[in-house]
Amino acid sequence: MVSCRGRAVVLACFVCVSLRGLLAQPVNATAEPSPETSAKLVRGPSDALSPGEAEFIRQRKEVVLASLGRLNISSTADSVPHIALLGSGGGQRAAVALLGSLQQMGQDDLLDTLLYMGGVSGSTWTMALLYSDPQWSVNKVFSSQGVHGDIPWWSPVNLIVPGPYWWLKAKSKDEDFSLSEVWGVLTSYLFMKHMDQRLLSAEASRDSTNPYPVYSAIEKECFNTNTTDAVWFEFTPHEAGFPELGHFVSTAYLGSGFEGGELKERKPEMDMVQLLGIVGSALANEDSIAEIAPPWMNKLTAGTALKDHLRIYFTLTILVDMLDSGITNVTDLAKLEELQKRVSDKHLEVVPLHNLTKEKQVEELQRRNLALVEIVQTWVKELDNGVYKVAVTELMEVVLPLLIKWQWGTTENFVYGVKDSEVPDCLQSRVLNLIDAGISINLPYESFLGKKRDVDLLIAPEFSAGEMFETLTLARDYAAAVGKPFPVIDEQVLLDKDWPKDFPHEAEVKARMVEYSTFQRPFSPEKIAALQEIARDNMRNNKDAIVREIQNAATRRQARRNGTDSAL
């Protein structure tokens, strides 16, 4: 294992090795199924690749082999190393830093060495934006934002090309509408400036120009009950499902109603806005937003009630940011600034709650929650009549009830009623609740461990806000729990966790932690450019180490092919 680290306090790169696996025989997996083949919409239990992914990988290896040749790395068609780049969570920080990392890999001609790209949470924002271009790894146009121009989110023009308001209005009629849809809009429109309404399954018909994408989430109920073998969930262009459990559904049919493995009701596939609302929904776990609590609140004993308050406050502040977009009327802008101030003042209002009983603390926090909602409702009523007020009113009617219910990632459960003793109790209900995988482990190791994808090398830039290398040790422990191999971690690497090589001063480290904290409003163009350069420096500084490990991976793969072993 090689550790590579850069100037950013939260950036690190790990190069790891896993064991060999299996590939299924390729067939066409993208056609609309006929009634007699509809049973093939669901698959499992199986630890083999889907036929569509297997065929893609066969073709992608030709691209990788050519890339290795350009790097003067010896390999053959039957011993191409399986290399995956993994993007971590970390909100905008992760999205921007992954983009910078990929920019440098493109400049160093390393992108085509990748067979796979996987991501959780913030990194998936960048993945989705890049993969909207079928030729992104060739074109190498790494814009940090999409384009929605100057069209306000509430504009009637969005009726022609559905924008945030009209998209949400349509989705709110769905039976499984949840906060994931709301969060998907907020991240797409505010942070990435790109409402991506394409379908992931449409990528199944693409050629092998880009690495194969794998988006990861977790199932909330299984996570809360510590049901390890059913926690992780993955989305690919061909299939979506539980990699550890081995049950999958055709991606085009994820969200449709199944019972006992049979299709009961065909429903539309979720688009990329919805998918991003799921895989990037760190807010779904209230523990992840504890950092926005004022210091005095940390003394409270009413933990659950405090989390309720924080989630409502933070979602409202992000929502208000969206309301700000497209307003040009000076009076309306002044009113919105007043709303922002009133919401913030109510949240920060100091009350000596720690002297109260737990029951009284709960009552006060609940009162604050209602007060926050009432502040927004009152503000909406005071707006001048017009298109903007109508749009805001309808948006709030949709969002505010969801804040109280706090329901995320609701989609039909394709293993519902499946007669398999391995399907745990947490998957016995009609719906799944899929949320941000970074809540569990902030890098998508799970999809790339073991024999299914047979990965030789993992390149994992680390953009987390927590303790350096925590994801690495968590992944090691997870692999042990599910009986999968994991590389031995150099203990010296763990001891070196506090001081990235290019950061000699503790004050600079702490300043960067604050500057690029996870939960904040959209970064300015200047902050985006600075963070991209930090990420590029990280990859640039470690290019030689990465190329060396790619060579080692190729050597190991060739040794396995020849029936020998390698100590590399």
Side-chain angles (χ1 to χ4, degrees), residues 141-441:
V141 180
F142 297 107
S143 171
S144 61
Q145 297 182 339
V147 178
H148 60 48
D150 296 322
I151 300 176
W153 64 269
W154 47 270
S155 171
V157 174
N158 282 323
L159 282 171
I160 302 171
V161 180
Y165 164 62
W166 300 104
W167 186 92
L168 271 178
K169 187 173 182 179
K171 295 298 180 183
S172 67
K173 297 178 174 62
D174 293 347
E175 179 183 4
D176 294 327
F177 182 66
S178 72
L179 278 170
S180 294
E181 280 75 18
V182 178
W183 188 243
V185 163
L186 294 178
T187 55
S188 296
Y189 189 79
L190 283 180
F191 296 110
M192 303 308 292
K193 306 294 189 287
H194 182 60
M195 284 287 292
D196 188 354
Q197 297 171 52
R198 64 192 171 85
L199 304 178
L200 180 59
S201 66
E203 295 182 26
S205 59
R206 290 183 180 179
D207 62 25
S208 58
T209 299
N210 304 316
Y212 193 75
V214 182
Y215 300 82
S216 293
I218 57 174
E219 209 291 320
K220 188 175 183 179
E221 182 61 26
C222 294
F223 175 72
N224 288 339
T225 56
N226 295 313
T227 311
T228 305
D229 59 356
V231 169
W232 282 77
F233 192 94
E234 66 181 30
F235 306 80
T236 75
H238 294 94
E239 287 186 338
F242 298 93
E244 196 61 46
L245 200 62
H247 282 273
F248 301 91
V249 62
S250 170
T251 300
Y253 283 76
L254 177 63
S256 292
F258 286 86
E259 185 172 353
E262 295 184 5
L263 179 64
K264 296 296 184 181
E265 181 182 6
R266 181 73 163 98
K267 292 184 179 181
E269 177 186 353
M270 68 176 68
D271 63 21
M272 293 303 293
V273 176
Q274 290 172 283
L275 192 149
L276 289 181
I278 288 174
V279 296
S281 58
L283 285 175
N285 185 330
E286 299 87 344
D287 290 337
S288 62
I289 55 174
E291 67 181 65
I292 66 173
W296 68 269
M297 282 190 178
N298 293 325
K299 301 177 182 179
L300 304 185
T301 57
T304 301
L306 176 58
K307 293 172 185 177
D308 290 344
H309 170 72
L310 293 175
R311 75 193 190 197
I312 289 175
Y313 165 72
F314 186 76
T315 307
L316 282 177
T317 59
I318 296 295
L319 192 62
V320 169
D321 277 340
M322 179 176 167
L323 299 180
D324 192 7
S325 175
I327 298 180
T328 56
N329 182 281
V330 175
T331 302
D332 287 340
L333 280 172
K335 289 181 179 179
L336 188 61
E337 289 174 359
E338 177 60 25
L339 171 62
Q340 292 170 327
K341 184 177 184 304
R342 291 171 64 188
V343 169
S344 178
D345 288 348
K346 176 55 63 177
H347 170 62
L348 296 173
E349 180 183 13
V350 178
V351 177
L353 295 183
H354 60 280
N355 293 326
L356 302 178
T357 64
K358 182 177 180 179
E359 291 73 19
K360 290 295 183 180
Q361 290 180 15
V362 170
E363 290 178 9
E364 172 60 22
L365 289 168
Q366 290 176 340
R367 184 190 67 77
R368 281 174 176 253
N369 295 341
L370 292 174
L372 286 172
V373 172
E374 288 172 0
I375 286 171
V376 176
Q377 290 174 327
T378 300
W379 174 80
V380 173
K381 291 178 182 178
E382 293 173 351
L383 288 173
D384 294 335
N385 291 331
V387 175
Y388 180 70
K389 180 173 183 176
V390 171
V392 171
T393 300
E394 293 190 355
L395 180 65
M396 290 304 174
E397 288 176 351
V398 168
V399 173
L400 294 181
L402 292 176
L403 285 179
I404 305 302
K405 291 172 61 179
W406 205 247
Q407 190 168 6
W408 291 81
T410 307
T411 189
E412 293 276 357
N413 180 8
F414 70 92
V415 295
Y416 176 64
V418 169
K419 298 187 183 307
D420 181 352
S421 60
E422 298 300 316
V423 177
D425 291 343
C426 60
L427 295 180
Q428 297 300 326
S429 63
R430 183 187 65 82
V431 298
L432 303 172
N433 291 112
L434 302 174
I435 60 175
D436 192 318
I439 295 166
S440 175
I441 302 175

